[in-house]
Amino acid sequence: MLAFIRLLLAALFIVFTCLFALVYCLFSPRDPKHVYFFSRWFKILRKIVNVHIIERGQERIKGVGRAVYISNHQNVFDFVTSPGMVRPRTVSIGKKSLLWIPFFGPLYWITGNILIDRENKAKARDTIKQVADTIHERNLSVWMYPEGTRSKGRGLLPFKTGAFRMAIEAGVPIVPMVVSSTHDKIDLNQRDNGTVIAEYLDPIDTSDMTMHDARELAERCREMMLNHIAKLDAEVATLNTQSTAVVAKTG
C-alpha cells in the first residue's frame, strides 16, 4: 500500500512538473538554466521516497568551469539521488527515444538537454565533435553516464569511451561523481530508506590528451569510481546501522 501511495505521489509530481515546465520554458526554450532549476524541484522525490541524501565534494570542483561530468547509472532511483548534484549550466545527454516518453520526454527536451542518435554509429564521431563545439559555443557542461545503461545491481559496468572522447575533443576536465549503491536498498514499501551518499571526486585534466588516451582515461576513471563506491557503501552501512540502533534504543 505504501508503495502505491508513493508511486501515485511521484506520478502526480512529475506530471505537474512537466506541465508547468512546458509553460515556464516557452519564454526561453532550451535555455540550460532550466536543467539546474528543475533538478532542484526533483529533490521533492527524496521526501516521497523518504531517503536522506548526503551531498559532498563540491569544494573539489570550485572554479572548474566547463566540464564533462560522469556518474554511475544504477536504476530509476537515480532521479532521486543525483539531481541535487547537477551544477548550473549543465545539461545531460540522452538518446532521442527519450523524447517519446509521456510528459518526461518533452520536459527533457525543452529544458535544454541534448538528444543524440545512439544507434547510428556512423554519426558517432560527428556527434562528439558537435557536442564539444556546443560546450564552448553555449558555455555548457554536460552530464553523462559512461556505462551507457542502468547497472541494475550488476556493479559498475564497463565504460564506453564517448564521454571521455568528448572531454578530450573539447579540452575540458572530466569530473567523476559517484553515488553509493541503491540496488535492493531502496524499497518503496519500506518506511525509512536510510542514507545515500553522492560525492564528487577530483577533476581530471584532459588538455594534454589525445583521442588515443580515451580508453585509458575511461579505465582510470572506472577504477577510481569503483573503489570510491566501495568506500561509500561501507560508510552508508555504518550510518544505517547506527541509525537503526538509535531508533531501537529510543523505541
Side-chain angles (χ1 to χ4, degrees), residues 52-203:
H52 175 55
I53 312 293
I54 297 174
E55 298 175 345
R56 63 194 189 194
Q58 288 87 346
E59 71 282 354
R60 293 179 175 138
I61 60 171
K62 189 175 180 179
V64 164
R66 292 169 296 216
V68 173
Y69 294 93
I70 57 172
S71 179
N72 50 324
H73 196 18
Q74 301 185 66
N75 47 45
V76 71
F77 293 115
D78 291 344
F79 286 110
V80 179
T81 59
S82 297
M85 299 297 282
V86 174
R87 299 294 88 198
R89 297 199 67 80
T90 299
V91 301
S92 67
I93 295 181
K95 51 190 178 181
K96 282 187 174 179
S97 57
L98 287 175
L99 186 60
W100 306 110
I101 298 176
F103 296 104
F104 177 77
L107 169 67
Y108 188 85
W109 178 81
I110 202 169
T111 49
N113 294 295
I114 300 172
L115 294 166
I116 61 174
D117 185 359
R118 280 193 192 168
E119 304 305 318
N120 193 330
K121 304 297 182 183
K123 290 185 177 180
R125 181 69 183 86
D126 287 341
T127 299
I128 288 172
K129 178 68 166 63
Q130 288 168 11
V131 175
D133 289 344
T134 301
I135 287 173
H136 292 289
E137 290 168 3
R138 299 180 61 197
N139 190 29
L140 297 176
S141 293
V142 297
W143 184 288
M144 298 184 69
Y145 294 106
E147 294 164 276
T149 188
R150 295 169 184 165
S151 58
K152 297 180 180 179
R154 293 172 289 173
L156 194 64
L157 301 179
F159 282 2
K160 302 180 186 300
T161 60
F164 307 94
R165 293 166 65 86
M166 205 169 287
I168 292 170
E169 178 73 38
V172 299
I174 278 279
V175 182
M177 194 284 287
V178 293
V179 179
S180 59
S181 300
T182 58
H183 180 72
D184 286 342
K185 295 182 180 179
I186 295 180
D187 183 348
L188 293 181
N189 276 313
Q190 189 169 271
R191 185 173 180 181
D192 182 356
N193 278 296
T195 299
V196 171
I197 302 175
E199 183 171 359
Y200 279 113
L201 306 186
D202 291 324

Side-chain angles (χ1 to χ4, degrees), residues 3-90:
F4 173 78
I5 293 172
R6 281 174 165 162
L7 286 171
L8 179 61
L9 289 174
L12 291 173
F13 165 75
I14 291 172
V15 169
F16 171 78
T17 300
C18 292
L19 292 176
F20 173 77
L22 290 175
V23 175
Y24 178 82
C25 295
L26 283 177
F27 296 97
S28 53
R30 300 195 49 72
D31 188 320
K33 70 181 181 182
H34 299 319
V35 176
Y36 180 75
F37 177 77
F38 284 101
S39 290
R40 266 54 203 160
W41 276 46
F42 269 73
K43 284 189 174 185
I44 292 174
L45 292 174
R46 302 177 181 185
K47 298 184 181 298
I48 294 175
V49 176
N50 195 20
V51 60
H52 175 55
I53 312 293
I54 297 174
E55 298 175 345
R56 63 194 189 194
Q58 288 87 346
E59 71 282 354
R60 293 179 175 138
I61 60 171
K62 189 175 180 179
V64 164
R66 292 169 296 216
V68 173
Y69 294 93
I70 57 172
S71 179
N72 50 324
H73 196 18
Q74 301 185 66
N75 47 45
V76 71
F77 293 115
D78 291 344
F79 286 110
V80 179
T81 59
S82 297
M85 299 297 282
V86 174
R87 299 294 88 198
R89 297 199 67 80
T90 299

